[in-house]
Amino acid sequence: MNKKKEVLISVILIAALLGILRILELNIKPTSQWAMLLTVLKKGSIYALVAVSMNLLNGFTGLFSLGQAGFMMIGAYTFGVLTIPPADREMVYMYYDGGIIKFAVPVVVGLLAAGAMAALFAFLIGLPVLRLKSDYLAIATLGFAEIMRALFQWDTLGPLTNGSNMIRNYPTFKTILFPFIVSGVCIAVIVLLINSTYGRAFKAIRDDEIAAEAMGINLAHHKRIAFTVSSFFAGVSGALLAMFQTNVQAKSFNSAMTYEILLIVVIGGIGSVTGSVISSFLFIASSEWLLRFLDEQHKIGDFTVPLLRSGFRKVVFAVIIMVIVLFFRQGIMGTREFSIGRLLERFGGKKKNGTEGGGKLQ
Amino acid sequence: MKENVLKVENVTMQFGGVIAVDNMNIVVNEKEIVSLIGPNGAGKTTAFNVITGVYAPTNGAVYFRGEKIVENYPQGKMKKLYKGENNGKYTHSIAPTPDKITKLGIARTFQNIRLWKSQTVFENILIAEHLRRTSNLFTATFRLNMEEERNMREEADRLLEILELSDVRDELATSLPYGKQRRLEIARAMATKPSLLLLDEPAAGMNPQETDELTAFIGRIRDDFGLTIFMIEHHMDLVMEISDRIYVLDFGKPIAEGIPEEIQNNPRVIEAYLGGAVDE
């Protein structure tokens, strides 16, 4: 399998995927029962980005951070605040005299600013907290995210963040292709980074910090890079989520959201980009759509199926997660990656034996 | 006269009330193989950790090619606790991190092998070349450094070939037999292009045949790469065969130095160290 052919096939597949998405979007009416599929795809693509960004940190650099929701919130707010049309500001900031920002930037600039702002915060908070290791780092970043959430709702910052009121009326995306393309480009950049010499250094830090440092890898510098880049993309995905939800409120970016993202990463496989992508679609599909029937009462003839009532979905979900953690600790992909080249080899009859006998995480 | 590559001057390392290394002076000259021996707990690895920047010494200085790279004096709590000599001789604190010392040209291996476990043999070498990159995050991510990347890969392959590891190039580092893992660790240190190589018990856990191979290997890399080697070792066969000079450490104190024959006949050394070993 030569490289050019693989790239060509990838391009064709991506084009086909985008084409199918567009056709789906044009044909599914908002009232049909399949409308949920579009929602799942949109949200799934956004979560895929934040999951991959978290994987860059947790899976590839070995930094256990739980600040992802906080950085998403910073991104979402930055995007919302900067892109509300000036004409609507009076209405959105009704309690704060129209806010202090009187201009609006284009959507693309808003997305980049969202990432840049999250990255800036990450850089600053990284200076002290990246000295910490494992659990302590997780606690510190989680604390940071919670503090930011409280800070954004602070009344004094109202002219900027609209206090505890919603940010809304900013531009949203009109087509499903938008989140897919933005997420796709961002994930591609992350993959390029992971496969570059810096990415290899990250993996060295993950595998053995002491050896990495002894081989001339500056730990503080590289950890900071990973943390900042990861937060940049979390910020972008936060902006996408803001567009998807059509409004932003700080209180929705709570720690439960970070855990959701962490779950996606764990289910997909810590250290596998494609695993994170696949599992984010699966996760969003099951939590938003496929398992919804568990929340409703069902009757077969006169028989009422027991246990099924509002909230039962979460119980089933918890059980699934426990099963995964107990029996499939590698997640869906382990540390392997899904590759078209290998897939074609499989189906092309050239079977290779024992080349991918499971990642060796433990 | 030979230029001295490494000079450890009055280094004392004290942890709390325990002096692990006491007023140590060591000189390693160009292209020499110098061994540091001593009973368990004598402070040999601590000495290595001071040289490579893992610990800042409590007092003393380390020079590399005439340039002072590490210096420290008792500070803070240590001011009162310090029990060593030469208090007040050193007044500066220079404590670079290990990666900076590696960049100067001092590479090391570890007593308990520390390879990057999830990486292949080739990748282990490749990562060690990261420190000589000229690309930044942006150029590396967007592959604007193709030339450099290609050079890194070619160099890694060349090194594997010279050190006879090409046949296991794409295997996971941890799947190698023990002797080859040791050899890979040395190869990885070589990939940082050091002029001084520190080996921490390279023959630990090896059988006699593997030890013989290693002896030849160390001699060969010294000659082929023009290296200076400073090592800690317990295998007396290996030490006596390839060392130009030997330092003996006991309870943190240097008790003897000299060529292998002198050390073998030194009564203090026999008492402290070889005496126990002969009985085995």
Side-chain angles (χ1 to χ4, degrees):
Chain A
M1 182 61 51
N2 60 35
K3 233 182 170 145
K4 263 186 190 159
K5 206 170 160 191
E6 207 171 309
V7 170
L8 188 70
I9 292 169
S10 308
V11 170
I12 292 170
L13 281 178
I14 290 167
L17 175 73
L18 292 178
I20 291 167
L21 285 172
R22 186 71 186 143
I23 291 166
L24 278 178
E25 187 180 40
L26 291 175
N27 288 303
I28 294 174
K29 292 182 183 67
T31 48
S32 91
Q33 57 165 333
W34 291 97
M36 205 61 204
L37 176 67
L38 291 179
T39 309
V40 165
L41 287 172
K42 283 180 202 163
K43 201 171 174 190
S45 68
I46 295 164
Y47 268 69
L49 176 56
V50 70
V52 171
S53 83
M54 193 178 200
N55 211 341
L56 170 68
L57 211 53
N58 290 15
F60 289 96
T61 321
L63 293 172
F64 188 38
S65 156
L66 291 177
Q68 231 61 7
F71 294 116
M72 277 181 96
M73 184 187 68
I74 293 170
Y77 264 89
T78 307
F79 176 81
V81 167
L82 287 179
T83 55
I84 300 171
D88 292 343
R89 285 190 183 264
E90 206 59 48
M91 183 189 48
V92 174
Y93 287 95
M94 55 194 290
Y95 302 107
Y96 299 101
D97 304 328
I100 51 167
I101 293 175
K102 301 291 183 198
F103 59 91
V105 299
V107 169
V108 177
V109 178
L111 282 174
L112 289 173
M117 188 61 81
L120 176 69
F121 271 90
F123 177 80
L124 294 176
I125 193 70
L127 293 175
V129 304
L130 286 177
R131 292 161 193 273
L132 303 170
K133 282 186 182 144
S134 62
D135 316 3
Y136 301 100
L137 177 64
I139 293 163
T141 47
L142 187 66
F144 164 75
E146 293 293 301
I147 289 167
M148 290 317 285
R149 189 159 61 87
L151 199 65
F152 273 50
Q153 299 182 65
W154 185 25
D155 204 43
T156 311
L157 286 179
L160 190 63
T161 63
N162 210 9
S164 54
N165 308 301
M166 277 182 200
I167 299 262
R168 59 200 158 92
N169 280 43
Y170 49 79
T172 55
F173 45 76
K174 302 279 179 292
T175 159
I176 191 170
L177 298 185
F178 187 82
F180 267 84
I181 291 173
V182 173
S183 285
V185 169
C186 290
I187 291 173
V189 171
I190 296 177
V191 170
L192 280 173
L193 171 64
I194 287 170
N195 292 329
S196 76
T197 180
Y198 281 86
R200 292 194 297 262
F202 293 163
K203 289 180 214 164
I205 292 172
R206 170 192 69 188
D207 282 359
D208 194 323
E209 222 174 85
I210 293 170
E213 198 174 28
M215 292 304 127
I217 294 170
N218 187 330
L219 290 184
H221 182 62
H222 284 82
K223 283 180 176 179
R224 206 151 52 222
I225 289 177
F227 195 59
T228 310
V229 170
S230 165
S231 301
F232 177 90
F233 290 112
V236 173
S237 77
L240 287 175
L241 191 68
M243 295 175 98
F244 169 76
Q245 288 174 338
T246 71
N247 62 62
V248 180
Q249 238 181 332
K251 68 178 180 196
S252 65
F253 294 90
N254 50 15
S255 53
M257 188 170 177
T258 300
Y259 298 136
E260 274 181 12
I261 303 162
L262 181 64
L263 262 179
I264 292 173
V265 173
V266 171
I267 293 172
I270 294 171
S272 170
V273 171
T274 41
S276 290
V277 174
I278 293 168
S279 84
S280 65
F281 283 105
L282 278 179
F283 180 89
I284 298 296
S286 39
S287 71
E288 302 269 323
W289 190 25
L290 298 177
L291 295 180
R292 283 275 165 181
F293 75 94
L294 295 169
D295 276 1
E296 291 150 20
Q297 285 226 330
H298 289 265
K299 285 194 173 174
I300 305 169
D302 282 343
F303 175 68
T304 309
V305 183
L307 292 175
L308 296 189
R309 64 182 63 115
S310 182
F312 186 63
R313 173 176 60 109
K314 294 200 166 150
V315 177
V316 173
F317 217 81
V319 172
I320 294 175
I321 287 157
M322 274 193 267
V323 169
I324 287 174
V325 171
L326 282 175
F327 300 107
F328 304 97
R329 221 165 291 170
Q330 305 278 332
I332 300 171
M333 302 294 285
T335 54
R336 286 166 290 159
E337 293 293 350
F338 174 86
S339 106
I340 294 162
R342 208 159 52 212
L343 202 71
L344 286 177
E345 262 170 38
R346 271 286 166 85
F347 290 110
K350 278 186 280 175
K351 280 212 175 95
K352 273 200 269 176
N353 287 326
T355 46
E356 36 169 352
K360 289 196 173 165
L361 239 156
Q362 249 77 47
Chain B
M1 196 187 123
K2 285 180 187 171
E3 185 196 354
N4 70 55
V5 175
L6 179 75
K7 190 167 127 199
V8 177
E9 190 184 84
N10 304 124
V11 163
T12 303
M13 184 80 225
Q14 183 175 340
F15 298 103
V18 180
I19 298 182
V21 173
D22 192 3
N23 198 18
M24 184 172 72
N25 288 284
I26 284 175
V27 173
V28 180
N29 297 316
E30 186 84 48
K31 305 236 167 77
E32 261 187 331
I33 296 183
V34 175
S35 294
L36 181 62
I37 62 172
N40 288 330
K44 305 180 296 290
T45 300
T46 306
F48 259 38
N49 284 341
V50 168
I51 297 167
T52 55
V54 176
Y55 302 139
T58 315
N59 194 34
V62 179
Y63 297 82
F64 180 61
R65 297 196 176 284
E67 207 173 310
K68 195 182 278 178
I69 58 168
V70 174
E71 179 180 349
N72 205 6
Y73 60 96
Q75 300 174 60
K77 265 196 292 185
M78 264 307 151
K79 245 184 208 167
K80 272 190 199 160
L81 281 172
Y82 187 63
K83 293 188 287 193
E85 296 159 58
N86 300 308
N87 203 350
K89 185 174 175 190
Y90 298 95
T91 51
H92 291 83
S93 182
I94 311 169
T97 47
D99 58 286
K100 299 216 170 64
I101 289 185
T102 308
K103 277 179 194 143
L104 294 174
I106 303 178
R108 72 172 294 184
T109 64
F110 294 90
Q111 189 174 351
N112 40 350
I113 302 176
R114 284 182 177 276
L115 291 167
W116 294 307
K117 295 185 179 71
S118 68
Q119 309 293 308
T120 64
V121 170
F122 177 69
E123 285 164 334
N124 264 278
I125 304 286
L126 197 56
I127 293 169
E129 297 194 12
H130 180 67
L131 86 167
R132 281 198 309 281
R133 72 193 179 276
T134 54
S135 58
N136 57 34
L137 183 68
F138 184 82
T139 55
T141 303
F142 294 102
R143 301 295 185 273
L144 304 172
N145 63 339
M146 285 308 265
E147 177 86 19
E148 184 183 57
E149 180 78 18
R150 200 166 41 240
N151 287 341
M152 280 166 89
R153 284 170 188 276
E154 275 169 14
E155 224 158 275
D157 266 328
R158 202 177 314 137
L159 195 62
L160 283 178
E161 193 141 331
I162 297 170
L163 302 182
E164 292 164 15
L165 286 163
S166 294
D167 52 325
V168 289
R169 180 184 186 274
D170 295 317
E171 278 179 44
L172 275 184
T174 42
S175 70
L176 298 186
Y178 191 76
K180 280 205 168 162
Q181 287 194 24
R182 283 271 175 213
R183 183 180 287 213
L184 174 58
E185 220 195 7
I186 296 174
R188 185 180 68 176
M190 305 281 298
T192 66
K193 293 223 174 124
S195 56
L196 172 65
L197 189 59
L198 305 181
L199 304 175
D200 195 346
E201 296 201 25
M206 283 189 172
N207 62 33
Q209 190 209 335
E210 283 173 327
T211 309
D212 286 347
E213 280 172 22
L214 184 80
T215 311
F217 181 69
I218 293 173
R220 218 187 78 206
I221 54 173
R222 190 251 315 248
D223 299 339
D224 290 359
F225 293 86
L227 282 176
T228 308
I229 295 174
F230 182 39
M231 67 174 184
I232 295 173
E233 190 44 73
H234 275 304
H235 278 62
M236 281 307 133
D237 304 347
L238 174 70
V239 171
M240 296 303 164
E241 189 174 335
I242 61 171
S243 303
D244 295 312
R245 283 185 305 118
I246 297 172
Y247 283 89
V248 188
L249 215 56
D250 192 21
F251 294 111
K253 274 191 181 303
I255 55 171
E257 74 148 296
I259 58 170
E261 289 75 27
E262 289 170 4
I263 296 297
Q264 271 170 323
N265 300 319
N266 185 319
R268 281 189 72 189
V269 176
I270 293 169
E271 185 196 351
Y273 187 66
L274 292 178
V278 167
D279 291 343
E280 279 176 8

